[in-house]
Amino acid sequence: MRTIFLFCFFISVLSIQAQIERKELLTNRVTETPVIDGKLDEKAWENAETAKDFVMFEPGDGDKEPEDQKTEVKIIYDNSAIYVGAYLYDSNPDKILRQLSERDNFGTADFFAIGISPNNDGQNMYAFFVTSGATQLDAQFSPANGEDFSWNEVWFSEVSFDEKGWYVEMKIPYSALRFASGEEMIWGLNLHRRIESSRQQYVWNYIDKSTGRFTQYDGVLKGLKNIDPPTRLSFSPFGSFIMNSYDGNTDTSLNFGMDLKYGITDNFTLFATLVPDFSQAGFDNVVLNLGPFEQVFSEQRQFFIEGADLLNKGNLFFSRRIGNAPVGRGDIEDTYDENEIVDNPDEVKVLNAVKVTGRSQKGLGVGVLNAVTENTYATIIDTITGETSRIKTEPLANYNVFVVDQEFNKNSSIGIVNTNVLREGNFRDANVTSLVMSLANRANSYRFSLDGSTSTIRENEINTTGFSSRMEFEKTKGSIRYSIRHRFADDKYDKNDLGFQRNNNYNDIMGNVSYQIFKPTDHFNNFRISFFAGHFRRFDPSVSTGNYMQLAAFATNLKQYSYRLEIGTNLGERVDFFEPRTEGRFWKQNGMFSTEGFLSTDFRKRLAAEIGLEYRKRYGSEEQSYELGFSPRFRMNDRLEFGYGFVLDKSLNQPGYVDTLEDETIIFGVRQNNQIENSFSGKYNFNDKSSISVSFRHYWSTVAYEDQYYQLDEDGYLSPHPYSENNDVNFNNWNLDLRYVWQFTRGSELVALYRNTIENQNDRSYLSFGENLSELLDQPYGHLLSIKVIYFLDYNNVKSWLKKENS
C-alpha cells in the first residue's frame, strides 16, 4: 500500500497541469427584467454578450456545430436572479423531437442546459435543463455522487418555436444556488445543447472526454457584481388523506406536515421533514429470494434521495435502513411461532428527519443527517390462555450520519465519514467510521483511492469491533485504461445497521483493462471492450473461495442500435461459505460458464425495444439456467407513451439450501425454479405540469424440489439424506399504481395515487400460469388511496407580499 501511495504522489508532483482553454462570457446587470415566456423579445436581451461557437461533445469530439443548427446564448442578471436566453436555430423546426414528459425525465426531445459552478472549483456544479417539450430537469454534479437528478429547486422556464428554430428563456433565482457574496464574482459555466433527431450534443466550452471529469472543463462567467445571496428559506406544508383497505377492513387518516429548507450560510443548507408522510413512494420490485443475502431495494422517499451526494461518501449510508423492518421482527416469528401473531409490523415509522449539506468556497464539504424512529410493537395472543401481549420489536432509535470532506486540486479529496445508530434500552447500537480519499495527479491520468473503515457493534453489553478497507489504483486517461483493486473485511466488520453489506470476511484482489473510442468510426459511435479478472479469498480461515474472469464489449452503431456481449467463467472449484447459512460451514461447487447478450433499437423511433438473453451452465453437472428479457416501448404521440416488460428466468437442476435440522444437519435440495415477470407502464402528459400514469407489475415464481434431498458434509460436498418434507413454493407479487400529478405552480403540486396490491405464497408449484393467475385474483386485495397537496412558500416572496399589503 505504501509503495502505491508514494508512486501516485510522485506522479502528482512531477506532472504538469494540462492547459485547459476556458472561454469567457461577460454578463451585465439589468433593471427591466424579462418576462419568462420563451419569446426573447425584451430590450434586456439586446445588449447582452453572446456565447457561441459551440463544439461537439458526442458522438464526435470538438467538431464545429453545423451552421444551420448554431446555438447562441445570453445571460443577464438583476438583484434576485440570473436570466438565460438560448437561441437554438434549426433549419427544420418541424422535425424537432419534442415529447412531453414529467419533471426530471428527458423523454424523446431536444434539450438545452446551463451548468453553473459558483465556487468555480472544477468539481461541483448545478445544472438546469429545459427540453423542447418544456420539461424542466435539474441536477447536482459532484465527484461523490456523479449526476444527481434527485436534487430539485424552484426556477422558471418557457420555450417557443418559429421558422428559425426554438428558444428557451430561464429565470434561476439566487435562492436555487449556493454561493458566497462578493463585489465581483467569477463562476464556472458551461452550456449544452442536445439535438435528439441526430443524437448529437454540443457544448460551449470544449470537454475532453478522454481524461478527467467534465466539470473540470467549464468556461467562465464574469460580470457578476455586488450580489447578496437572499435568505434561503422555504416551506412546503402538506396535507394528505390516506385510505387503506385490506380484506374488508378499512383505515383512514388525515395527515399534516411540512418540509423545510433553510440556508444556514451562503453554502450550507438545512433540510427538515416534520411529521413525514411517505405513503406515495413507489412500490418495491419484490422477488422470491432463495439466496443467503437480503434483497436490496432502491430509495423511493424524496427526502432521503435529494441532496444526498455528500452523505453517500464512503458507501456507509443506506437510507432504507431508516424506517426498515424492526430489529426484533424475525425473533417474534421464531420465538412465538406456536402462538397467534396478530400483528408484526414490517416497517418502523419515521418521526422526523433533518439533514445539513454544503461545501464552502475553499472546498470543505460537510454533511449531517439525523432521523428518529418510534417504538414499534408486535401483538401476540397465547393460544392456550387467550392472553394478549405486546412485544417491543424496535425501540425509539436515533440514526445519524456525519461527513467532512475536503476537495483540492480540482480532482482530489480526503474525508471522514461516521454513521451511528443508538437504540433505547438494551437493544443493539452501532457505530462505523471511515477514512476516504481519492487522489489524482494533475494531468488526470492516474488516480489512487483508499477507504479504511472500522465498525463497533454493542449488543448484550458486549462491544465487537471490525475492520474493512478498499484500495484502487487506476489509469484514467486515454483509450487504453486499467485498474487494480484490493478489498478486505475481517469477520467482525458490520455496517448493516445504517449501511448495506452482503457479507464480510473476505480478502479479494481484482484487475481490469479496457479499450474505448472517443470519436466515431466508420461503423460505431461508441465502442468499449474490457477484461476483468478477480481472485477471491476468505480472511479467516485464509482459503481461496474462487475466481472469476469476464470479457465484455459494448457498442452503438451509426444507426443508434446498441449491443452488449459478456462472457464469464470460473476456473476450478468455488467454495461458498454463505449458502449453508451456518458460520464455519462451506459448500464446494464446480465453476460456471455464463454468457449474456443485449440489443437496444433506436429509441428516437415511435416503436423501439430492448431484448436480452443470458445462459449459465455449471461445469460437470446438469445445472443450467437461461433468462430472456423483452421490453418494447411505443410512443403514440408526444403526449402518450406505453411500455411493456417481460422476463422469463428458468433454473434447472439447481442445488441450494433448504433447512437446518435440530441436530445441525444442513439440508440441500435440487430444484427447478421458474420466474415470470410481466410489467406495463403508460403515461399521458396533458402538458409539462400535469400527467396521469399507470404502472403494473406481476411477478410469479415457482420452486419444485426433487424427491431426493442431500446433507452437506464436513468436506463441503453433498450426500443423500432421507429428509422428505415438502418445500415447494408458489409465490406471487402483484402491484398496480395509478397516479395523477398536477404541478399547479412551480414547487407546488397535487398528487393522487391509487394502489392495488396482492402477495401470496403457498406450495402449489404445479399450477399453470392461467390456473395460478385465477387463484391469485381470488385472494384478498390491498387498496390504498392517497391524496396529497404540497404548497411551496418562499420566504422572500412572502416578505414581498406582506410589504405590498402594508404599503
Side-chain angles (χ1 to χ4, degrees):
M1 172 181 144
R2 183 180 178 186
T3 303
I4 294 176
F5 179 82
L6 290 175
F7 176 65
C8 186
F9 181 77
F10 180 74
I11 292 174
S12 178
V13 171
L14 293 184
S15 297
I16 300 174
Q17 174 68 46
Q19 297 300 312
I20 301 172
E21 180 184 356
R22 303 187 73 184
K23 289 183 177 180
E24 295 183 358
L25 179 67
L26 183 66
T27 182
N28 59 283
R29 186 188 294 268
V30 296
T31 54
E32 295 184 12
T33 56
V35 176
I36 305 303
D37 56 7
K39 302 297 185 181
L40 301 175
D41 52 5
E42 293 90 352
K43 289 184 179 181
W45 297 112
E46 291 180 359
N47 298 321
E49 187 173 302
T50 302
K52 54 185 178 181
D53 299 325
F54 281 52
V55 295
M56 186 176 285
F57 173 62
E58 62 178 25
D61 185 27
D63 311 78
K64 292 183 178 180
E65 62 182 347
E67 187 63 28
D68 62 351
Q69 289 183 315
K70 64 181 180 180
T71 307
E72 296 179 350
V73 181
K74 298 180 178 182
I75 298 177
I76 55 179
Y77 72 100
D78 63 10
N79 292 331
S80 61
I82 66 169
Y83 301 83
V84 184
Y87 304 74
L88 309 160
Y89 296 105
D90 197 304
S91 57
N92 294 297
D94 292 339
K95 294 184 179 180
I96 295 173
L97 298 174
R98 55 180 86 175
Q99 183 186 14
L100 290 168
S101 57
E102 63 183 1
R103 186 184 175 108
D104 287 336
N105 186 342
F106 286 100
T108 305
D110 288 20
F111 72 70
F112 167 78
I114 176 173
I116 302 172
S117 178
N119 287 339
N120 197 23
D121 58 8
Q123 299 210 67
N124 301 276
M125 178 175 284
Y126 304 103
F128 303 87
F129 301 76
V130 180
T131 75
S132 50
T135 299
Q136 287 188 348
L137 304 92
D138 41 21
Q140 277 184 309
F141 296 83
S142 66
N145 218 33
E147 303 179 358
D148 180 11
F149 279 91
S150 67
W151 178 75
N152 286 322
E153 283 293 344
V154 176
W155 49 286
F156 306 89
S157 63
E158 289 294 342
V159 303
S160 67
F161 293 80
D162 65 16
E163 69 281 358
K164 295 181 181 180
W166 67 293
Y167 309 89
V168 177
E169 198 168 21
M170 306 166 65
K171 175 184 177 181
I172 304 173
Y174 296 133
S175 59
L177 301 169
R178 315 288 182 265
F179 64 93
S181 59
E183 292 184 4
E184 186 166 353
M185 291 173 282
I186 297 177
W187 289 0
L189 171 73
N190 216 341
L191 307 163
H192 297 249
R193 179 188 181 180
R194 174 79 168 185
I195 303 173
E196 184 65 14
S197 60
S198 60
R199 289 285 177 94
Q200 294 177 343
Q201 188 165 327
Y202 295 88
V203 293
W204 173 57
N205 203 80
Y206 171 72
I207 296 174
D208 185 353
K209 296 180 290 185
S210 67
T211 183
R213 302 184 179 97
F214 78 89
T215 53
Q216 294 171 280
Y217 295 92
D218 53 5
V220 175
L221 179 65
K222 291 185 173 181
L224 296 165
K225 298 179 180 180
N226 300 314
I227 298 176
D228 293 322
T231 300
R232 291 188 292 110
L233 175 61
S234 65
F235 309 90
S236 295
F238 65 82
S240 67
F241 169 77
I242 302 171
M243 182 177 70
N244 241 318
S245 175
Y246 179 75
D247 199 17
N249 298 315
T250 301
D251 295 317
T252 61
S253 62
L254 189 62
N255 303 315
F256 297 94
M258 184 171 65
D259 293 340
L260 177 148
K261 289 184 183 181
Y262 175 59
I264 301 173
T265 68
D266 295 336
N267 285 289
F268 292 88
T269 305
L270 178 147
F271 303 79
T273 180
L274 310 175
V275 194
D277 176 10
F278 303 125
S279 63
Q280 295 187 336
F283 59 77
D284 294 321
N285 291 335
V286 175
V287 301
L288 177 63
N289 186 4
L290 299 174
F293 307 117
E294 66 175 302
Q295 186 184 1
V296 183
F297 299 115
S298 60
E299 182 59 83
Q300 308 261 17
R301 300 166 296 181
Q302 183 62 29
F303 174 83
F304 292 107
I305 296 174
E306 183 179 356
D309 59 328
L310 267 172
L311 299 173
N312 290 325
K313 196 89 174 180
N315 198 29
L316 296 187
F317 176 47
F318 179 51
S319 58
R320 286 294 296 257
R321 294 295 185 214
I322 302 173
N324 202 7
V327 292
R329 185 174 191 272
D331 295 338
I332 294 295
E333 297 175 352
D334 294 338
T335 306
Y336 298 93
D337 58 340
E338 296 183 357
N339 297 323
E340 181 182 352
I341 303 175
V342 178
D343 185 31
N344 189 16
D346 59 1
E347 61 181 35
V348 177
K349 183 178 179 181
V350 179
L351 294 176
N352 59 69
V354 176
K355 62 185 175 184
V356 176
T357 63
R359 190 174 295 276
S360 73
Q361 280 189 303
K362 295 184 178 181
L364 179 63
V366 177
V368 181
L369 180 141
N370 197 83
V372 179
T373 60
E374 71 174 1
N375 289 304
T376 306
Y377 297 87
T379 304
I380 311 297
I381 296 180
D382 190 310
T383 54
I384 298 176
T385 64
E387 182 181 352
T388 299
S389 57
R390 298 178 75 216
I391 311 297
K392 184 182 290 188
T393 56
E394 175 84 23
L396 185 73
N398 188 88
Y399 296 80
N400 182 266
V401 184
F402 177 71
V403 181
V404 178
D405 177 66
Q406 178 66 56
E407 294 179 344
F408 53 94
N409 289 345
K410 293 191 174 182
N411 60 11
S412 302
S413 66
I414 182 168
I416 295 176
V417 185
N418 176 265
T419 65
N420 190 71
V421 181
L422 292 175
R423 296 183 175 95
E424 189 179 47
N426 295 322
F427 281 76
R428 169 186 172 114
D429 297 331
N431 185 283
V432 184
T433 302
S434 181
L435 172 67
V436 183
M437 66 173 64
S438 177
L439 307 175
N441 65 328
R442 293 186 181 274
N444 287 309
S445 53
Y446 295 95
R447 180 174 296 274
F448 173 72
S449 303
L450 169 67
D451 297 356
S453 181
T454 63
S455 68
T456 301
I457 307 299
R458 181 168 180 80
E459 195 167 19
N460 300 322
E461 299 185 353
I462 297 175
N463 288 344
T464 303
T465 300
F467 176 76
S468 130
S469 67
R470 183 195 64 85
M471 291 187 294
E472 182 173 18
F473 177 76
E474 54 186 329
K475 181 177 181 289
T476 56
K477 182 177 182 179
S479 294
I480 298 177
R481 303 187 183 194
Y482 54 82
S483 67
I484 185 168
R485 182 168 74 251
H486 177 264
R487 66 182 199 124
F488 166 86
D490 65 18
D491 57 349
K492 296 179 175 59
Y493 181 73
D494 186 353
K495 65 176 182 179
N496 265 327
D497 288 78
L498 195 44
F500 177 82
Q501 69 179 51
R502 290 191 181 278
N503 58 280
N504 57 16
N505 202 1
Y506 53 77
N507 188 9
D508 306 331
I509 187 167
M510 293 155 276
N512 185 79
V513 60
S514 65
Y515 170 80
Q516 60 188 310
I517 64 172
F518 296 100
K519 293 183 178 181
T521 66
D522 292 340
H523 302 287
F524 299 110
N525 280 331
N526 296 293
F527 178 79
R528 186 175 189 271
I529 186 169
S530 63
F531 177 74
F532 169 87
H535 177 68
F536 311 105
R537 298 187 65 84
R538 184 93 160 163
F539 164 66
D540 185 19
S542 180
V543 295
S544 172
T545 59
N547 56 71
Y548 185 70
M549 294 181 292
Q550 182 187 75
L551 181 67
F554 174 84
T556 301
N557 66 17
L558 302 182
K559 294 184 178 181
Q560 297 299 327
Y561 279 60
S562 295
Y563 312 85
R564 186 180 77 240
L565 178 64
E566 297 179 1
I567 299 174
T569 188
N570 312 100
L571 297 180
E573 282 189 325
R574 177 175 177 266
V575 184
D576 188 340
F577 282 86
F578 305 106
E579 184 67 15
R581 324 290 167 98
T582 300
E583 182 60 36
R585 299 294 300 275
F586 56 88
W587 175 38
K588 291 184 177 180
Q589 287 181 288
N590 291 335
M592 175 174 280
F593 167 82
S594 66
T595 183
E596 178 181 352
F598 170 88
L599 167 65
S600 175
T601 68
D602 185 355
F603 272 71
R604 295 172 299 178
K605 307 295 184 182
R606 291 191 180 276
L607 179 62
E610 296 178 348
I611 185 169
L613 289 168
E614 183 176 359
Y615 176 73
R616 304 174 291 272
K617 177 71 172 69
R618 181 79 61 187
Y619 297 123
S621 78
E622 297 181 353
E623 180 186 353
Q624 58 184 323
S625 62
Y626 59 87
E627 182 177 330
L628 167 67
F630 178 60
S631 53
R633 188 210 68 178
F634 180 62
R635 192 176 74 253
M636 184 169 289
N637 52 47
D638 286 339
R639 297 179 184 272
L640 182 61
E641 180 179 88
F642 298 103
Y644 170 69
F646 172 79
V647 178
L648 171 64
D649 189 348
K650 294 179 71 71
S651 298
L652 308 174
N653 306 305
Q654 179 189 62
Y657 172 85
V658 173
D659 197 5
T660 301
L661 306 182
E662 291 185 0
D663 63 0
E664 299 185 353
T665 298
I666 300 173
I667 302 298
F668 275 57
V670 176
R671 60 202 178 207
Q672 321 300 321
N673 180 205
N674 296 325
Q675 301 178 73
I676 296 177
E677 179 179 324
N678 286 279
S679 59
F680 172 81
S681 63
K683 177 169 289 185
Y684 182 82
N685 289 277
F686 300 97
N687 50 50
D688 63 301
K689 301 178 182 67
S690 178
S691 66
I692 187 169
S693 61
V694 60
S695 299
F696 167 76
R697 176 181 181 265
H698 173 222
Y699 168 85
W700 177 44
S701 180
T702 62
V703 180
Y705 284 91
E706 294 181 358
D707 293 336
Q708 178 64 63
Y709 285 88
Y710 301 85
Q711 69 178 18
L712 179 65
D713 296 329
E714 294 294 333
D715 60 3
Y717 296 106
L718 302 178
S719 61
H721 190 278
Y723 178 91
S724 60
E725 292 186 19
N726 181 11
N727 288 278
D728 292 353
V729 180
N730 179 47
F731 176 81
N732 286 270
N733 181 260
W734 165 295
N735 282 286
L736 171 68
D737 274 15
L738 181 64
R739 187 185 301 265
Y740 171 73
V741 179
W742 174 35
Q743 189 179 146
F744 49 89
T745 186
R746 293 297 184 191
S748 303
E749 63 182 18
L750 179 150
V751 182
L753 169 69
Y754 167 73
R755 174 170 297 160
N756 176 282
T757 60
I758 316 173
E759 187 165 297
N760 183 48
Q761 180 172 326
N762 55 46
D763 61 3
R764 295 160 62 83
S765 61
Y766 52 82
L767 294 177
S768 67
F769 180 84
E771 291 171 333
N772 172 74
L773 187 60
S774 178
E775 183 177 275
L776 177 67
L777 295 178
D778 287 335
Q779 302 299 313
Y781 288 73
H783 302 276
L784 169 72
L785 176 63
S786 173
I787 301 174
K788 186 174 183 178
V789 178
I790 306 171
Y791 193 81
F792 175 80
L793 291 170
D794 185 277
Y795 167 79
N796 299 289
N797 292 337
V798 173
K799 187 169 63 173
S800 298
W801 297 340
L802 294 176
K803 284 183 178 179
K804 288 181 180 179
E805 289 182 1
N806 294 329
S807 61

